[in-house]
Structures are given as structure tokens and as C-alpha cells.
Amino acid sequence: MSTQHVIVVEIPKPLWKNDNGSHGNWYAHNRLMQTLKRLGWAEAVNWRNRHGGVSFEHCRLDVYVQYPPNGRNQADPSNADNVGKPIIDGFTKAGLWPDDNWRHVEGPFYRMSPTIAPKGIHRLEFHITETTEGDDKHGQA
């Protein structure tokens, strides 16, 4: 059985954007995406430093979304991809895996977390399970 590793990223309310809303102008949206990418990079670098520089050649990525109390009832975890993708890009830049394409990362699969985040914060729990090449269930080896 593979070991599961977890990286938790807290996203303050001003940085949380889901797929269902306006993102403002292109420049504001791009700045937001770059900020989230830097946040992901910093979290991954800190995590790797605490875990002896671990990286993954192949893995499965499950993302558990913790919503604050207000808004949880209408939540759709898959909409968190708009925030999760730039964070995952930051993980890639930090060397967590060679690339976040299908050859190295299966997923991400977004799921509702049973845990509620504090008011004004969203949390993404990135659960990384190391796999081997060929574990992909879709025949893409």
C-alpha cells in the first residue's frame, strides 16, 4: 500500500475564485493566477524541505476542498479547479513532480472535505499517493 502525503494550502477570501463568477479584467485575473502559483510554489518548497526533498515520478492527486461555514451548502468542489490549477503549477515549479501532465499526475480529483474551514478561509488539502507507471486505469502508460 502506498503512503499518502498531504499538503494543505489556505486561501484567504480575496484569493478565492470559483468557476461560476466574473474574474474582472484579464490583468487582474492574471495577477491572481500568478499569486496562487507563488503560494503553491512556497507551500511545496516548505513541504519538500520538511520531508527530505521528496518528489514523485508518478502519483495520484486528490484535492479535498474545505469551505467556510457560509457557502458550504451550495458548494461544488470541482469549481475549485480555478484556484487549484495554478497552485498545482506552483507545485510543479517547486519540483514536486517533473510535470503535471497525465504521464506524471493522475487527476486532480476534487472532493468535498468533511472538515469545515474557518470563516473567511478556504483550504485545499492535496492528497498525493505515489503510484508506478502503468497504474493508470485508462491504459495510458
Side-chain angles (χ1 to χ4, degrees), residues 1-138:
M1 187 164 147
S2 297
T3 302
Q4 190 173 88
H5 305 273
V6 179
I7 300 175
V8 178
V9 179
E10 289 195 350
I11 300 112
K13 188 175 183 177
L15 297 181
W16 184 261
K17 303 291 182 206
N18 66 33
D19 285 338
N20 290 335
S22 170
H23 302 295
N25 67 43
W26 182 88
Y27 296 104
H29 179 71
N30 188 52
R31 271 193 316 272
L32 172 64
M33 296 300 108
Q34 293 305 315
T35 298
L36 291 167
K37 186 186 239 181
R38 284 191 300 273
L39 178 63
W41 175 85
E43 291 291 341
V45 165
N46 288 336
W47 185 87
R48 289 189 72 209
N49 286 339
R50 289 190 317 270
H51 293 87
V54 163
S55 63
F56 306 93
E57 187 64 28
H58 305 281
C59 65
R60 176 186 169 94
L61 184 60
D62 293 285
V63 183
Y64 289 84
V65 184
Q66 289 184 18
Y67 289 91
N70 56 348
R72 182 173 167 83
N73 292 336
Q74 301 297 321
D76 180 355
S78 63
N79 286 339
D81 185 56
N82 194 54
V83 173
K85 175 57 176 150
I87 291 171
I88 292 167
D89 288 342
F91 288 179
T92 303
K93 187 173 182 177
L96 209 52
W97 37 66
D99 195 353
D100 61 339
N101 65 22
W102 66 270
R103 293 183 189 274
H104 301 284
V105 179
E106 181 185 339
F109 302 104
Y110 289 89
R111 306 183 187 299
M112 179 67 85
S113 174
T115 307
I116 297 173
K119 186 175 181 174
I121 299 283
H122 286 76
R123 280 193 188 118
L124 297 181
E125 298 176 2
F126 295 87
H127 293 240
I128 305 163
T129 307
E130 191 164 16
T131 60
T132 58
E133 190 171 19
D135 280 355
D136 190 336
K137 309 292 186 281
H138 304 290

